[in-house]
Amino acid sequence: MADPRNIDVVLPSQTGHQYDSKQVKNYSDNYKELPAINFSENKSFLKSFAKYLKTQFRDVRNKWLLCFICAVLTGVAVFLVMQYGLGSSSKDLNQYEPGEDHTYEDGSRQLLLQRDDEWSWGTRTEAKAIIALHLYQFTSFSKDNPDTFISVKQMNIDLLSALSNDISLNNENWRRGTLAYYILGILSTCQNPRNFHRHNLIDKMKNHLVESSTYLMSNKFAYSLIVIALCKAGEYVDVNHLDKISSTPGQYNFGVDEASMVYIAYKCVGDETYQTKKDSALEYILQHQEQNGLFGNEFSTSLAIQAIFASGDNTLEPKTEKGIAYLKKSIDRANRPTTALLVSALPAIAMKSYLDIGRQECLSKYSIPSKSSFPIGISVLNNITHNDYKRTWSASLIEGHTLFGAMLNLQETNSAFSFDSKSTQYGPYITSICNMAASTDMKQYWKIENADGDALLYGANQTFPKRGDSYIFKLSTW
């Protein structure tokens, strides 16, 4: 069976494949290996040499010379111990010891050690590694931590280099899901995918949905990945894409891998219209858990665990325990685990999913600021089912984004504001704001007005606010 990702990652050919450290490429790391001095093997030599000195310097006149020589030898021994360690009896702190209980720091350090001399994980692998570190509860990618910040720059250079050769990124290497990984990596590092060095990556990825439509229909893994990237970027996902990522619920050409990505995509969008398709994907995953607690090989198990934690259902978490333990042992057995294994396993071990990308607040001093960001006013008015309910918020918006995007931003940053919508062929339809639902039976709907009280000509997803604009969402009747 072909790899559903078909994007730089090769699935093991057998379920439960165990990694053989002898077959793993010996990547160079940032530490210089120094020769070890094994003093235990030289004890007999030292004893013989000491006996020789004793017989040669029995004369009292030579005792001072003996003391001098002993002092010199002691100094040399101390120097060697400090410089090279105690040989096989010491523990090299830079070695990954099989059998240890691996912590988050160990996992992230192992992934960092996979970088080459250019501080890179390789072309089109950068973003996956950055995402894995981000989800693995790693420290901030900041200038204060140059060891990791330089790899973010390498990711940017990798993408900019590709853009310089093909500004649309319309070749197969990028349009079949790879750009989605880079957009998620950019979001993980507090950068703006709509203004990435003056490139709107979101528009390019939307074009990929058209250019690669035939391929994506046969590879729902890549299709779902693109939907997730759009969702995490706060972009509206067209109803056609939500229909097509799971055209046959419960049937997945690439098994657990595909079902996991489909589920995470639907969970991210949160459209109740697709509840049945979402439930079918999760049910498929749970039905394919093996008796040993795994969901297939390391890669399939990692994605299944991501999906389970994305569900938010605490009762399902015990189903991940054996899988997480197995992933830790897989890293342990490999001694020097591959980048592919670490990138796949670390988010699952950390009990995270793609839905957690960007949830940690980005510090402004570390992020790439947007000069065109500005606030707009959003008011909610209901004098139909509540007595004069009215409340106003200030929502942050980047120039060129929609009113719907501002609502998503406000919902993400202010728990007092919430809304629900459903996808239609005309765009998202607002069904509820602040737990106040519209009702077709009561002929009620959420009307959107500008500051002058005039109804908008277009919906929230087709309205592009300007600096100083304000909008009123009014529960109205027809």
Side-chain angles (χ1 to χ4, degrees):
M1 183 177 290
D3 178 7
R5 280 151 282 204
N6 197 22
I7 313 169
D8 305 324
V9 175
V10 179
L11 284 174
S13 58
Q14 297 180 355
T15 300
H17 173 73
Q18 297 184 4
Y19 286 84
D20 185 355
S21 60
K22 296 180 180 179
Q23 298 177 355
V24 178
K25 181 179 178 181
N26 186 20
Y27 289 89
S28 61
D29 56 32
N30 300 325
Y31 302 96
K32 180 180 180 181
E33 294 185 1
L34 300 173
I37 304 299
N38 193 339
F39 288 98
S40 61
E41 297 178 357
N42 296 309
K43 288 182 179 178
S44 59
F45 167 76
L46 293 174
K47 288 181 179 180
S48 299
F49 185 61
K51 184 177 181 180
Y52 169 79
L53 291 175
K54 183 177 180 181
T55 58
Q56 294 298 317
F57 294 96
R58 289 180 178 177
D59 195 322
V60 176
R61 291 176 301 176
N62 294 326
K63 285 186 177 179
W64 290 111
L65 181 58
L66 174 62
C67 291
F68 174 76
I69 293 175
C70 290
V72 172
L73 291 174
T74 302
V76 172
V78 171
F79 172 77
L80 290 174
V81 170
M82 294 180 66
Q83 183 73 10
Y84 299 115
L86 293 175
S88 60
S89 62
S90 67
K91 180 179 179 179
D92 183 0
L93 296 179
N94 296 330
Q95 282 297 111
Y96 196 75
E97 294 291 334
E100 287 187 343
D101 181 19
H102 304 300
T103 63
Y104 285 166
E105 291 76 17
D106 287 326
S108 59
R109 182 170 61 85
Q110 284 301 301
L111 184 52
L112 291 173
L113 288 177
Q114 303 302 318
R115 296 178 296 184
D116 57 26
D117 293 338
E118 301 296 328
W119 304 82
S120 168
W121 286 279
T123 304
R124 295 191 301 278
T125 306
E126 302 287 353
K128 299 174 189 177
I130 292 295
I131 292 169
L133 289 175
H134 172 69
L135 293 179
Y136 204 55
Q137 298 182 344
F138 198 67
T139 54
S140 299
F141 297 103
S142 70
K143 295 179 181 179
D144 293 342
N145 191 356
D147 185 41
T148 55
F149 191 71
I150 193 172
S151 290
V152 176
K153 294 299 182 182
Q154 281 295 102
M155 177 184 71
N156 293 355
I157 292 172
D158 191 20
L159 181 52
L160 287 170
S161 176
L163 287 165
S164 67
N165 294 323
D166 178 9
I167 196 170
S168 65
L169 295 179
N170 206 26
N171 59 77
E172 292 184 357
N173 290 329
W174 287 91
R175 75 186 186 192
R176 294 183 172 183
T178 300
L179 181 58
Y181 277 121
Y182 273 76
I183 288 175
L184 292 174
I186 286 169
L187 292 171
S188 298
T189 53
C190 303
Q191 300 180 81
N192 180 13
R194 295 179 180 83
N195 186 19
F196 178 75
H197 297 273
R198 299 184 180 180
H199 292 279
N200 189 328
L201 302 179
I202 300 298
D203 284 349
K204 297 180 192 300
M205 189 168 63
K206 285 183 174 180
N207 184 56
H208 292 173
L209 288 170
V210 177
E211 296 294 332
S212 295
S213 58
T214 302
Y215 170 82
L216 294 175
M217 284 303 297
S218 62
N219 191 324
K220 302 301 179 61
F221 182 100
Y223 207 156
S224 299
L225 178 64
I226 294 175
V227 169
I228 292 171
L230 288 173
C231 173
K232 293 305 299 181
E235 193 73 13
Y236 169 69
V237 181
D238 189 275
V239 62
N240 291 327
H241 303 313
L242 294 175
D243 287 334
K244 291 176 181 177
I245 61 173
S246 184
S247 52
T248 53
Q251 299 180 26
Y252 308 97
N253 294 334
F254 301 106
V256 171
D257 298 61
E258 181 181 320
S260 299
M261 294 299 287
V262 168
Y263 178 81
I264 294 173
Y266 280 132
K267 185 69 177 181
C268 185
V269 175
D271 192 324
E272 59 186 16
T273 305
Y274 299 90
Q275 185 69 38
T276 300
K277 290 187 174 183
K278 182 178 68 174
D279 291 344
S280 296
L282 183 59
E283 183 180 357
Y284 180 94
I285 296 168
L286 298 176
Q287 288 178 347
H288 284 75
Q289 186 173 27
E290 302 168 3
Q291 292 184 351
N292 58 7
L294 306 183
F295 298 86
N297 55 41
E298 287 92 339
F299 298 97
S300 299
T301 298
S302 297
L303 285 171
I305 291 173
Q306 278 204 41
I308 290 174
F309 280 104
S311 72
D313 188 345
N314 295 332
T315 63
L316 296 178
E317 291 184 9
K319 294 182 175 294
T320 67
E321 293 175 356
K322 291 183 178 180
I324 292 175
Y326 178 74
L327 293 174
K328 291 181 178 180
K329 289 180 180 179
S330 294
I331 295 175
D332 186 29
R333 285 193 300 268
N335 191 30
R336 182 62 67 89
T338 64
T339 300
L341 174 60
L342 288 166
V343 164
S344 178
L346 294 187
I349 292 174
M351 298 181 287
K352 296 292 181 61
S353 74
Y354 288 126
L355 297 189
D356 294 296
I357 289 177
R359 284 192 173 180
Q360 293 183 350
E361 183 179 0
C362 292
L363 301 178
S364 59
K365 65 178 181 178
Y366 299 146
S367 63
I368 298 177
S370 173
K371 297 180 181 179
S372 57
S373 177
F374 56 84
I376 65 170
I378 292 181
S379 299
V380 176
L381 175 63
N382 179 5
N383 53 15
I384 297 178
T385 61
H386 287 68
N387 293 327
D388 297 327
Y389 179 93
K390 184 175 183 180
R391 188 165 180 179
T392 301
W393 293 269
S394 177
S396 178
L397 183 67
I398 297 175
E399 186 176 357
H401 289 198
T402 65
L403 176 58
F404 190 79
M407 296 173 68
L408 291 172
N409 292 338
L410 181 58
Q411 181 173 243
E412 185 75 17
T413 58
N414 195 318
S415 59
F417 178 84
S418 62
F419 75 99
D420 294 313
S421 65
K422 65 179 182 179
S423 300
T424 71
Q425 59 180 328
Y426 304 106
Y429 175 75
I430 308 299
T431 58
S432 174
I433 301 180
C434 297
N435 297 319
M436 294 177 287
S439 172
T440 54
D441 294 337
M442 301 295 293
K443 296 185 177 181
Q444 298 171 354
Y445 73 105
W446 282 102
K447 180 182 180 182
I448 310 176
E449 301 177 347
N450 59 24
D452 296 327
D454 299 325
L456 299 186
L457 297 178
Y458 303 100
N461 191 55
Q462 295 177 300
T463 299
F464 297 87
K466 297 179 180 179
R467 190 181 299 272
D469 285 351
S470 296
Y471 299 89
I472 302 172
F473 289 82
K474 181 187 296 185
L475 190 61
S476 306
T477 58
W478 73 81

